[in-house]
Amino acid sequence: MATDVWDVLLEAHRLLWSFTPFEHVGPLEFGMTHDQAQAAVHDVLSVTAYQGDPGNEGWAEFWLERRTGARFSGPAVTAYYDESVGLAGIAVNALRGPQVTLEGMRLVGQTPSRLEDEFTGYLVAHSRELRYSQCADPCSPQLGLVLRAQRAGDIVLSRPVMVARAWADRCWDTSEGRIPRREWKTFEW
C-alpha cells in the first residue's frame, strides 16, 4: 500500500525564499535565537521537535503548515543552533521545504547531478572554491553552502544546508566540520 510519505511538493506549492550567504535564508537570519526563528516563520512553519538548552544550542524541526492546494504537511526546515552563534545552520527538506534560490539558482528538490553542474558553473564564474564532503556533496565554504542529497522514494533530490560564517570553515567535512552528525545522517523524509 502506497503512502504520501515520499510525495514531493509541486513548485507552485512551495514557499519561495532567497539565500544571501552568511546573512539569511528566507525570513531566517543567521544568529537568531530559537524564539526569534520560530517567530519569523510562525504563519507558515511550526516547530514539531526541538532539542536544545537555554544557551541556544541544539536543533529544531519546522514543519510545513497545511496550505491551500497542498495535500500534506511535513518536515520543511531543520535549524541548527550554536551556543556562541545562535542560528548557525539551516537545512531545507527536499520534499516539502521552501524553494530557496541563490541569484536565481534553485537549490531545493533538484536532480543532484544537474544542480552540481549549475553550481560548479556558478562557482567558476564567481571565482569561488568547490569542495566535496566525504559523502560526495558539493560545497562552497565561501558561500557557506553544502548541496546534500535526500531520498524521495526511489529517487534523490537536493537538500541544501546553509551555514553561518562561523561554521563555513570545513563545512564540507563530515567528521571535523561544525555541521552536526545528525544532519549528515539525514537521508529520509
Side-chain angles (χ1 to χ4, degrees):
M1 182 170 126
T3 66
D4 69 354
V5 71
W6 299 117
D7 286 351
V8 178
L9 278 179
L10 298 173
E11 283 294 310
H13 295 162
R14 289 185 187 267
L15 299 170
L16 300 176
W17 289 3
S18 65
F19 167 51
T20 300
F22 309 121
E23 291 181 22
H24 70 87
V25 179
L28 298 173
E29 296 177 11
F30 292 108
M32 285 181 154
T33 65
H34 173 65
D35 289 342
Q36 290 170 328
Q38 193 171 358
V41 298
H42 78 278
D43 286 335
V44 291
L45 302 176
S46 60
V47 175
T48 59
Y50 175 70
Q51 183 176 38
D53 61 31
N56 210 27
E57 187 167 309
W59 58 268
E61 194 76 31
F62 291 87
W63 278 45
L64 183 65
E65 294 284 349
R66 290 208 181 265
R67 300 177 67 198
T68 304
R71 291 191 347 229
F72 53 89
S73 65
V77 174
T78 302
Y80 295 104
Y81 301 98
D82 181 291
E83 186 174 33
S84 63
V85 177
L87 180 57
I90 301 165
V92 180
N93 187 287
L95 282 69
R96 49 192 68 85
Q99 182 53 262
V100 177
T101 60
L102 171 65
E103 295 187 32
M105 183 174 21
R106 294 181 308 147
L107 303 176
V108 180
Q110 305 303 302
T111 302
S113 60
R114 290 187 188 138
L115 181 56
E116 180 179 0
D117 288 345
E118 185 177 1
F119 185 57
T120 301
Y122 175 88
L123 294 177
V124 168
H126 291 85
S127 301
R128 307 269 190 209
E129 178 183 13
L130 175 66
R131 301 298 291 268
Y132 286 91
S133 73
Q134 291 93 325
C135 302
D137 301 311
C139 171
S140 171
Q142 290 95 356
L143 298 175
L145 175 59
V146 181
L147 297 176
R148 300 199 54 247
Q150 179 180 342
R151 181 178 176 195
D154 292 337
I155 62 171
V156 294
L157 298 172
S158 60
R159 173 191 176 92
V161 179
M162 291 129 303
V163 299
R165 190 173 305 278
W167 279 22
D169 182 44
R170 303 185 69 83
C171 62
W172 68 90
D173 194 325
T174 64
S175 60
E176 295 180 14
R178 303 285 304 268
I179 295 173
R181 290 194 187 280
R182 178 183 193 279
E183 176 58 36
W184 294 114
K185 293 181 180 189
T186 298
F187 196 68
E188 68 275 357
W189 72 291

